[in-house]
Amino acid sequence: MWSLTANEDESTTAHFFLGAGDEGLGTCRRGMRTEESDSELLEDEEDEVPPEPQIIVGICAMTKKSKSKPMTQILERLCRFDYLTVVILGEDVILNEPVENWPSCHCLISFHSKGFPLDKAVAYSKLRNPFLINDLAMQYYIQDRREVYRILQEEGIDLPRYAVLNRDPACPEECNLIEGEDQVEVNGAVFPKPFVEKPVSAEDHNVYIYYPSSAGGGSQRLFRKIGSRSSVYSPESSVRKTGSYIYEEFMPTDGTDVKVYTVGPDYAHAEARKSPALDGKVERDSEGKEVRYPVMLTAMEKLVARKVCVAFKQTVCGFDLLRANGHSFVCDVNGFSFVKNSMKYYDDCAKILGNTIMRELAPQFQIPWSIPTEAEDIPIVPTTSGTMMELRCVIAIIRHGDRTPKQKMKMEVTHPRFFALFEKHGGYKTGKLKLKRPEQLQEVLDITRLLLAELEKEPEAEIEEKTEKLEQLKSVLEMYGHFSGINRKVQLTYYPHGVKASNEGQDLQREPLAPSLLLVLKWGGELTPDGRVQAEELGRAFRCMYPGGQGDYAGFPGCGLLRLHSTFRHDLKIYASDEGRVQMTAAAFAKGLLALEGELTPILVQMVKSANMNGLLDSDSDSLSSCQHRVKARLHHILQQDAAFGPEDYDQLAPTGSTSLLNSMSVIQNPVKVCDQVFALIENLTHQIRERMQDPSSVDLQLYHSETLELMLQRWSKLERDFRQKSGRYDISKIPDIYDCVKYDVQHNGSLGLQGTAELLRLSKALADVVIPQEYGISKEEKVEIAVGFCLPLLRKILLDLQRTHEDESVNKLHPLYSRGVLSPGRHVRTRLYFTSESHVHSLLSVFRYGGLLDETQDAQWQRALAYLSAISELNYMTQIVIMLYEDNTRDPLSEERFHVELHFSPGVKGVEEGSAPAGCGFRPASSENEEMKTDPGSIENLCPGKASDEPDRALQTSPQPVEGTGLPRRSPLIRNRKAGSMEVLSETSSSRPGGYRLFSSSRPPTEMKQSGLGSQCTGLFSTTVLGGSSSAPNLQDYARTHGKKLPPASLKHRDELLFVPAVKRFSVSFAKHPTNGFEGCSMVPTIYPLETLHNALSLRQPSLTLCTTTRPQIARSPHPALFIRHPCNFGIALKSHLGTAAGLPAPCPVLALPLLLQWKETHILASVISPL
């Protein structure tokens, strides 16, 4: 009825008139005529009289809006209704003519924009009384955010918590606003930062977001898009002092906004876009248009869209949704607005508007009309098939980046002022208190100053040491001249019978009965510029974990993740502990991962979730368990013996037989003698620093990260004092701090040329390689027990992440009708990134190594992985443990082969000493696809056998062939399926064997290559020790062959570099030569070791059972747990019993009966087990 074909005659041409005063229209479209005056219109009507009565639809808006592409597209379609004629009122008519002279119409589409005379439009509506598509009177309310929020509240629509601050322009200072360091109080309502400040006028787009000082402070200033910018970061942290504003709670949306466009109460189109508050850069496509992706609204959001449309009486209406914490909140209503660049939307909008007009007005004109009904579109969601496995979940636990040396001071305090402070901030509730906020630290400083002033008046000999500690406390708190919660904090722990001597690390013989507080002051440990670069570059390299992209994304490394995320199919959550260095590492990683720009503070606030509320990533390292006390005491006893290590010492200190531990003990031999050497080297170092300070040329010398020689001397002098106690014995707990400091200075302050630092580094590292890992347990049982104590919540969370493999309604989905170029719009990849400290990384690795994941005597690959881990001496900055979950949709859902888990590991940043990490097993070492090929499982040539019946790879025969060297690891003998993400299409080579897929397309002669990560200029995310790289995609040469491209000759000179590039399908050769994820040569930032595969053929049951038995051993004693937990649904039941009694499940018991579990309704359990986290 309303569509035209190219051969229709002129009698059916659409009636589309343009009102007077519209100059510069250019070429008229078919069916359009420019109306210069009423007389010309009458002449035209005499020439061509419509055969039927016509309903005149008037368009009354500013020219910029009425001539816009979306409006033109919709009106062209609207005119295809036989009985509708569209008349556009020109801007000159609207602004200069009285409403009595405006052309009359039966239906009016009119809306306000900048410069539009809404009063005249209302007057015209009263004069002509047309049918209004969008109510005009309500558009006054839409211009005032206060009224918008009032109407939304009356309709019961969820809003962010807000308060209105109305200022009298004559007396702006008279208002109910109290501004604090990290909060504002408006009319009695307190809004802690981050919060949003919006002008009450909807026409004012200068919205500010204020960030807390713990995240770096400042504000993000949003404005109407100018070019490719929509916001800018400002260091200003104070709110505006003039004007009226709405203050509202900031909603963490993971950096994405959702814009909803209604056409009537029963139609809503939703699009996701990058939040302008994130980094202020507008993402545009190749045509310069802002990149947006249509998304699917939930049933509740559709109801909200209906309520907004009806409440504001706007048939065509746009509003903004914030999806946060599992709920949707409306934060703005824009009134009349259209979707841009969506033909489907233009069709739908014109159809709905035409039907709405005809339904309302056709009876008045005696036009026969019935609304046509059409079959609904069926959303077809294609998925992968065959033996390809789909990436479903990526879990990564990552240590923070390079930091300044951590420093710590402990002291026992008993003054009533400290107890009053402890009580004031609720310390007695848990017996512990953390003080990080500036005002809290100021209170501690004030108390310290008062106590020192009192001690000056009445000095007492017995508290002389306490005076010294108070002086140090005062000195540290006064550093920098201002407070920042990121680099200093005070912890107070209550001891009802006083602090024990063992906790203090001093030889105190007394045991006071009076209660006291242990005050622990921590400072330093800030993320360095190198640390930020490391995190950002690793994030950029981490994109290659995901399959490649399509269309405009093809040919760029890591594009698969960006495409996945931008199409709203990436369920990403980033968690970080409450330490500033960890949070900033997470923000920098997110910046690189998602190709964001700008400062880290906005990214931190919006993308990173602080996990300190439930202890997920935080642990109180000052509160040791009984097992840790025993381990620490035994460790100190062994290392205090002034004698060479004997066989008994090796048995006591290294019962696990760790290679790195045995090597370090052989270097140390006599621990006390080595401590003597270390202490002498520290004394020599402080002497050199003092001499350098006396040198006039060093007065203004600035060290790395704005440190001064004086500050450097302070940290070394403190270590000198604390390391050797008054009794002459050494405090072994200071060894990690000594190694930390010398490693920092060798890497960052090497230009000072201080003598003895290399030897100090060598000896302190040997000691640290014994002390640090053994503090987390000496025997296997102790390591597991301490690990669970450190990271029990994290273990449970990983368990849930692995089990939640099926979609539910709460996951945001891409709308399949709009997903051109996306092969699997209904499939999602779930990514959970956990940034934490060294303790959690050590603990989690202990669980996998010693928690019974696999029997190394029965699994050769796991045996090699344990040998590799045993040789790792240090879990350095940016250490990664990565778990990847795949699903084979061709397998029976009840089969153990349905899900496939891979475990990867990287020891993090390359140390300052050469060759500090062993060669690993490679990233995803592949196996032959047929047992007949396995002449020698350890032969690298077998990866791509040239003597097999497969066709040789002609594309590689012309390439120069590298030569084999020593030390290449053996490949895995495991047979594996191909894997691919939902967007990946693998190129296959011909095979004479049915079902035989070749992961590597050619036979490679022996190769000579450096060990991955040991100095290569283009070390990447993945280890390429196993040639051919990832089995999820062909190598670089395959990509060139399948796309008909030739590698440029220049690239052949870089054959060694090509070997180190992750073999991801979309990698370009230019990336291989100049990678973005290579760290060396860029401001001397150290290389990060690539990921090595620990195991690539785990079933989902194996890690799940290991985590389950570790966190709650009782469940392992259930009848046949391996059989029972094989299926995710069954595991959900067991898991709910394991985690608690939510959803009405009976309390767990040591032996949980299987029949009882099977009687419980699976759907009821899974509803709460697989809830969004």
Side-chain angles (χ1 to χ4, degrees):
M1 164 165 293
W2 54 286
S3 60
L4 288 174
T5 58
N7 59 359
E8 288 180 273
D9 60 42
E10 290 296 326
S11 64
T12 59
T13 299
H15 299 272
F16 187 12
F17 298 96
L18 298 165
D22 283 321
E23 292 83 4
L25 284 171
T27 304
C28 292
R29 296 176 178 84
R30 180 173 179 265
M32 296 186 191
R33 289 181 292 173
T34 306
E35 177 196 355
E36 297 295 342
S37 64
D38 289 341
S39 61
E40 291 182 11
L41 177 60
L42 292 174
E43 292 175 5
D44 290 339
E45 287 178 345
E46 289 176 0
D47 296 336
E48 182 183 343
V49 178
E52 302 288 348
Q54 290 295 300
I55 298 174
I56 306 298
V57 180
I59 310 299
C60 180
M62 302 300 284
T63 301
K64 184 178 179 181
K65 300 293 184 181
S66 60
K67 292 182 182 178
S68 66
K69 179 183 175 181
M71 179 67 87
T72 303
Q73 292 279 350
I74 292 168
L75 293 183
E76 283 181 344
R77 290 162 170 77
L78 192 62
C79 288
R80 295 173 186 172
F81 281 81
D82 289 344
Y83 299 97
L84 297 184
T85 298
V86 175
V87 176
I88 299 179
L89 279 66
E91 191 170 294
D92 184 59
V93 171
I94 295 172
L95 296 177
N96 302 320
E97 293 288 335
V99 295
E100 291 78 11
N101 295 346
W102 290 10
S104 61
C105 63
H106 308 112
C107 173
L108 181 64
I109 300 177
S110 181
F111 52 93
H112 177 268
S113 62
K114 186 176 181 180
F116 180 76
L118 185 57
D119 293 342
K120 293 180 71 176
V122 172
Y124 174 79
S125 172
K126 292 179 179 178
L127 177 67
R128 304 293 186 186
N129 195 29
F131 169 58
L132 295 177
I133 294 296
N134 279 29
D135 187 84
L136 292 169
M138 289 298 294
Q139 294 183 30
Y140 287 109
Y141 294 119
I142 293 175
Q143 297 178 52
D144 190 326
R145 287 191 172 100
R146 293 169 294 193
E147 293 298 318
V148 169
Y149 275 34
R150 177 186 61 80
I151 294 171
L152 291 172
Q153 212 162 21
E154 289 176 355
E155 293 297 321
I157 297 172
D158 286 342
L159 293 165
R161 186 175 67 90
Y162 77 98
V164 178
L165 179 69
N166 291 311
R167 277 195 179 99
D168 183 353
C171 303
E173 66 282 353
E174 295 181 6
C175 60
N176 293 324
L177 174 70
I178 302 174
E179 184 175 9
E181 176 73 23
D182 272 331
Q183 67 178 39
V184 292
E185 183 178 330
V186 181
N187 301 326
V190 177
F191 293 88
K193 293 180 180 178
F195 59 78
V196 184
E197 180 186 62
K198 295 180 177 178
V200 295
S201 171
E203 297 300 302
D204 189 343
H205 296 272
N206 295 293
V207 176
Y208 291 2
I209 300 172
Y210 295 91
Y211 300 123
S213 59
S214 62
S219 56
Q220 192 78 10
R221 304 193 169 191
L222 282 63
F223 44 79
R224 187 180 285 277
K225 287 192 289 284
I226 301 175
S228 291
R229 300 298 304 179
S230 58
S231 70
V232 64
Y233 176 77
S234 168
E236 179 58 51
S237 295
S238 298
V239 299
R240 288 172 278 191
K241 300 301 188 290
T242 58
S244 298
Y245 300 96
I246 290 177
Y247 290 89
E248 68 181 45
E249 184 179 7
F250 177 82
M251 310 303 295
T253 61
D254 295 333
T256 306
D257 286 352
V258 177
K259 302 189 79 68
V260 183
Y261 303 86
T262 70
V263 186
D266 300 317
Y267 180 92
H269 173 99
E271 290 184 336
R273 65 164 185 177
K274 186 174 76 173
S275 170
L278 192 56
D279 63 356
K281 184 178 186 296
V282 179
E283 295 293 336
R284 298 190 182 276
D285 59 19
S286 57
E287 298 180 1
K289 300 182 178 68
E290 183 177 12
V291 175
R292 297 184 179 185
Y293 282 90
V295 296
M296 296 180 70
L297 295 175
T298 64
M300 188 60 68
E301 289 170 339
K302 291 175 182 176
L303 180 60
V304 169
R306 181 183 182 88
K307 285 183 176 181
V308 169
C309 179
V310 172
F312 289 90
K313 301 178 182 177
Q314 307 292 298
T315 301
V316 180
C317 185
F319 65 93
D320 295 347
L321 268 182
L322 300 178
R323 284 171 163 173
N325 304 322
H327 299 281
S328 297
F329 304 86
V330 177
C331 66
D332 199 8
V333 177
N334 306 310
F336 195 99
S337 53
F338 282 138
V339 176
K340 302 176 180 65
N341 309 312
S342 173
M343 296 301 161
K344 180 72 167 60
Y345 172 81
Y346 299 152
D347 293 344
D348 292 343
C349 183
K351 187 177 357 180
I352 293 170
L353 288 178
N355 288 333
T356 301
I357 295 168
M358 294 301 296
R359 182 176 62 242
E360 182 71 24
L361 299 178
Q364 299 179 21
F365 289 82
Q366 297 180 348
I367 298 173
W369 178 259
S370 62
I371 298 178
T373 58
E374 298 180 5
E376 293 187 3
D377 296 313
I378 300 174
I380 299 174
V381 183
T383 58
T384 57
S385 60
T387 58
M388 298 169 66
M389 299 184 77
E390 185 174 2
L391 179 64
R392 299 305 310 277
C393 183
V394 176
I395 302 168
I397 298 87
I398 305 172
R399 190 187 173 194
H400 58 76
D402 181 67
R403 54 162 171 77
T404 61
K406 285 196 303 182
Q407 300 184 71
K408 180 166 65 174
M409 183 204 73
K410 295 182 180 180
M411 62 181 295
E412 184 180 7
V413 294
T414 57
H415 197 278
R417 292 182 186 274
F418 284 110
F419 282 100
L421 179 68
F422 191 73
E423 183 178 13
K424 175 182 177 182
H425 295 286
Y428 285 111
K429 294 178 182 178
T430 60
K432 299 175 185 177
L433 180 64
K434 280 186 182 181
L435 303 174
K436 293 180 64 175
R437 300 169 66 87
E439 60 269 21
Q440 295 173 334
L441 295 177
Q442 183 64 52
E443 289 182 83
V444 178
L445 179 58
D446 291 341
I447 294 173
T448 307
R449 286 171 174 169
L450 285 171
L451 292 180
L452 285 171
E454 293 176 6
L455 286 170
E456 284 183 10
K457 295 179 181 178
E458 300 179 8
E460 298 181 12
E462 64 268 17
I463 59 169
E464 185 173 341
E465 182 179 352
K466 191 173 182 179
T467 305
E468 181 182 341
K469 295 225 170 189
L470 285 172
E471 290 283 3
Q472 189 174 3
L473 177 61
K474 174 175 174 288
S475 174
V476 173
L477 292 176
E478 289 178 343
M479 284 169 58
Y480 310 120
H482 63 87
F483 289 115
S484 173
I486 283 181
N487 57 20
R488 272 170 296 188
K489 65 180 176 182
V490 172
Q491 294 176 333
L492 292 170
T493 305
Y494 179 74
Y495 286 85
H497 303 295
V499 179
K500 293 184 179 179
S502 60
N503 287 359
E504 190 74 24
Q506 301 173 7
D507 294 330
L508 300 178
Q509 301 299 322
R510 58 188 177 87
E511 286 193 9
L513 298 177
S516 64
L517 297 170
L518 174 64
L519 185 149
V520 181
L521 172 65
K522 296 182 179 181
W523 71 99
E526 301 172 62
L527 191 68
T528 65
D530 277 13
R532 292 192 181 200
V533 173
Q534 290 163 359
E536 187 174 339
E537 294 295 335
L538 182 62
R540 189 176 292 117
F542 209 81
R543 300 177 203 162
C544 304
M545 188 76 71
Y546 301 82
Q550 296 174 329
D552 293 340
Y553 290 86
F556 295 95
C559 58
L561 180 278
L562 297 180
R563 174 125 176 118
L564 189 72
H565 194 76
S566 62
T567 53
F568 223 58
R569 292 174 303 145
H570 187 206
D571 180 14
L572 169 68
K573 285 188 173 58
I574 302 174
Y575 297 89
S577 67
D578 67 345
E579 293 175 317
R581 58 182 170 274
V582 179
Q583 295 191 348
M584 284 302 179
T585 298
F589 186 95
K591 181 179 179 180
L593 180 71
L594 302 178
L596 303 174
E597 295 184 3
E599 299 293 327
L600 292 185
T601 297
I603 300 172
L604 169 62
V605 172
Q606 298 189 64
M607 296 296 298
V608 180
K609 300 178 184 299
S610 180
N612 63 330
M613 298 304 292
N614 55 5
L616 181 64
L617 296 170
D618 292 283
S619 58
D620 188 359
S621 58
D622 296 299
S623 299
L624 304 181
S625 66
S626 58
C627 182
Q628 287 173 281
H629 276 298
R630 293 195 305 271
V631 167
K632 190 173 180 181
R634 195 158 78 251
L635 186 62
H636 281 227
H637 172 72
I638 297 173
L639 294 179
Q640 294 284 6
Q641 295 178 357
D642 189 3
F645 286 132
E648 184 179 346
D649 296 315
Y650 279 91
D651 292 340
Q652 289 185 359
L653 198 55
T656 60
S658 169
T659 304
S660 62
L661 186 59
L662 295 175
N663 291 340
S664 297
M665 291 180 68
S666 66
V667 171
I668 295 170
Q669 294 187 356
N670 186 320
V672 173
K673 295 299 183 192
V674 172
C675 287
D676 288 338
Q677 296 178 54
V678 168
F679 182 73
L681 288 168
I682 294 175
E683 285 185 316
N684 179 47
L685 187 60
T686 56
H687 177 70
Q688 292 182 66
I689 298 172
R690 289 189 181 93
E691 285 187 340
R692 189 64 62 88
M693 291 173 63
Q694 301 300 321
D695 186 351
S697 63
S698 302
V699 173
D700 297 324
L701 183 64
Q702 285 288 321
L703 306 181
Y704 182 75
H705 202 42
S706 303
E707 191 180 30
T708 63
L709 282 171
E710 183 179 3
L711 292 174
M712 183 182 187
L713 179 62
Q714 283 183 13
R715 57 182 167 89
W716 277 113
S717 297
K718 183 181 184 303
L719 287 173
E720 183 182 357
R721 290 193 306 270
D722 296 346
F723 183 42
R724 188 156 72 179
Q725 300 171 341
K726 294 179 179 179
S727 63
R729 301 180 69 187
Y730 290 103
D731 185 354
I732 302 302
S733 65
K734 298 300 178 186
I735 287 174
D737 297 336
I738 295 171
Y739 174 61
D740 194 24
C741 272
V742 70
K743 182 172 70 171
Y744 178 85
D745 285 330
V746 168
Q747 179 180 336
H748 298 297
N749 294 321
S751 59
L752 284 177
L754 298 173
Q755 300 297 316
T757 53
E759 180 66 6
L760 179 58
L761 176 66
R762 185 182 73 86
L763 296 176
S764 63
K765 174 171 173 52
L767 289 168
D769 288 346
V770 173
V771 172
I772 294 175
Q774 299 307 82
E775 283 185 339
Y776 299 98
I778 295 177
S779 67
K780 294 181 180 180
E781 295 76 17
E782 290 170 341
K783 287 181 181 294
V784 173
E785 181 180 346
I786 292 175
V788 172
F790 267 110
C791 60
L792 179 61
L794 178 60
L795 294 172
R796 288 176 172 170
K797 181 64 168 59
I798 293 172
L799 193 57
L800 284 175
D801 292 337
L802 283 174
Q803 292 301 324
R804 191 188 177 203
T805 56
H806 299 284
E807 309 300 340
D808 60 359
E809 289 302 316
S810 66
V811 176
N812 302 322
K813 297 180 181 178
L814 179 69
H815 200 300
L817 299 180
Y818 300 86
S819 54
R820 296 185 182 92
V822 178
L823 298 185
S824 302
R827 307 295 277 172
H828 293 72
V829 175
R830 178 180 171 90
T831 299
R832 293 294 180 268
L833 305 176
Y834 301 97
F835 290 85
T836 184
S837 57
E838 186 179 17
S839 60
H840 277 67
V841 178
H842 269 286
S843 300
L844 185 60
L845 203 57
S846 293
V847 169
F848 285 125
R849 290 176 69 179
Y850 307 115
L853 178 63
L854 290 167
D855 183 355
E856 61 182 290
T857 62
Q858 303 296 320
D859 192 308
Q861 188 183 21
W862 187 238
Q863 189 176 29
R864 288 193 296 272
L866 292 181
Y868 164 69
L869 291 175
S870 175
I872 296 291
S873 62
E874 179 181 5
L875 303 185
N876 209 345
Y877 306 126
M878 305 308 303
T879 292
Q880 309 138 57
I881 300 172
V882 180
I883 305 168
M884 300 179 73
L885 174 66
Y886 290 87
E887 182 177 4
D888 186 349
N889 295 299
T890 65
R891 299 288 183 176
D892 183 349
L894 296 177
S895 168
E896 194 168 315
E897 297 176 347
R898 174 79 176 192
F899 294 98
H900 180 103
V901 177
E902 295 181 349
L903 183 61
H904 310 288
F905 168 78
S906 165
V909 174
K910 177 182 173 183
V912 291
E913 64 286 343
E914 290 293 331
S916 58
C921 304
F923 182 76
R924 285 182 180 163
S927 65
S928 61
E929 306 303 324
N930 193 303
E931 290 297 324
E932 296 175 0
M933 299 165 56
K934 293 170 47 177
T935 56
D936 178 5
S939 173
I940 193 71
E941 290 88 350
N942 285 339
L943 290 175
C944 305
K947 297 181 181 180
S949 59
D950 295 320
E951 179 182 346
D953 187 350
R954 299 187 182 93
L956 288 180
Q957 289 178 350
T958 58
S959 338
Q961 304 294 347
V963 195
E964 179 172 345
T966 60
L968 290 177
R970 298 175 178 266
R971 63 187 177 89
S972 168
L974 298 167
I975 295 177
R976 302 177 50 231
N977 287 329
R978 300 188 304 157
K979 299 190 191 69
S982 57
M983 294 178 286
E984 186 75 10
V985 180
L986 295 183
S987 61
E988 301 176 11
T989 58
S990 61
S991 174
S992 61
R993 296 181 302 276
Y997 289 96
R998 301 188 58 193
L999 302 181
F1000 310 103
S1001 355
S1002 75
S1003 61
R1004 301 172 190 253
T1007 59
E1008 178 181 21
M1009 58 182 288
K1010 306 171 189 175
Q1011 293 300 333
S1012 61
L1014 300 180
S1016 167
Q1017 269 193 323
C1018 69
T1019 298
L1021 174 64
F1022 312 115
S1023 168
T1024 49
T1025 304
V1026 174
L1027 299 184
S1030 167
S1031 61
S1032 67
N1035 60 31
L1036 184 63
Q1037 300 279 1
D1038 290 335
Y1039 171 73
R1041 184 184 69 253
T1042 55
H1043 288 72
K1045 297 178 181 179
K1046 293 183 179 179
L1047 296 178
S1051 67
L1052 301 180
K1053 299 177 182 178
H1054 300 270
R1055 60 183 182 272
D1056 287 344
E1057 293 181 5
L1058 287 173
L1059 294 176
F1060 285 90
V1061 177
V1064 176
K1065 179 177 180 179
R1066 303 299 197 267
F1067 266 118
S1068 63
V1069 177
S1070 61
F1071 177 76
K1073 294 169 62 179
H1074 306 288
T1076 56
N1077 59 341
F1079 305 141
E1080 286 192 325
C1082 176
S1083 68
M1084 300 304 291
V1085 177
T1087 306
I1088 294 179
Y1089 285 110
L1091 282 173
E1092 305 281 355
T1093 296
L1094 301 181
H1095 209 286
N1096 61 3
L1098 297 168
S1099 68
L1100 177 59
R1101 177 186 59 83
Q1102 289 169 314
S1104 298
L1105 192 58
T1106 298
L1107 293 170
C1108 202
T1109 54
T1110 302
T1111 54
R1112 173 80 55 95
Q1114 297 92 320
I1115 197 170
R1117 296 194 290 270
S1118 301
H1120 309 293
L1123 295 175
F1124 176 61
I1125 305 179
R1126 178 168 294 177
H1127 186 250
C1129 293
N1130 290 341
F1131 190 87
I1133 299 177
L1135 183 61
K1136 177 53 67 176
S1137 70
H1138 161 66
L1139 294 180
T1141 58
L1145 188 68
C1149 56
V1151 179
L1152 199 55
L1154 181 62
L1156 173 63
L1157 290 175
L1158 293 177
Q1159 290 172 7
W1160 203 258
K1161 291 183 179 180
E1162 293 183 358
T1163 54
H1164 182 64
I1165 302 302
L1166 289 174
S1168 54
V1169 170
I1170 311 180
S1171 58
L1173 289 172

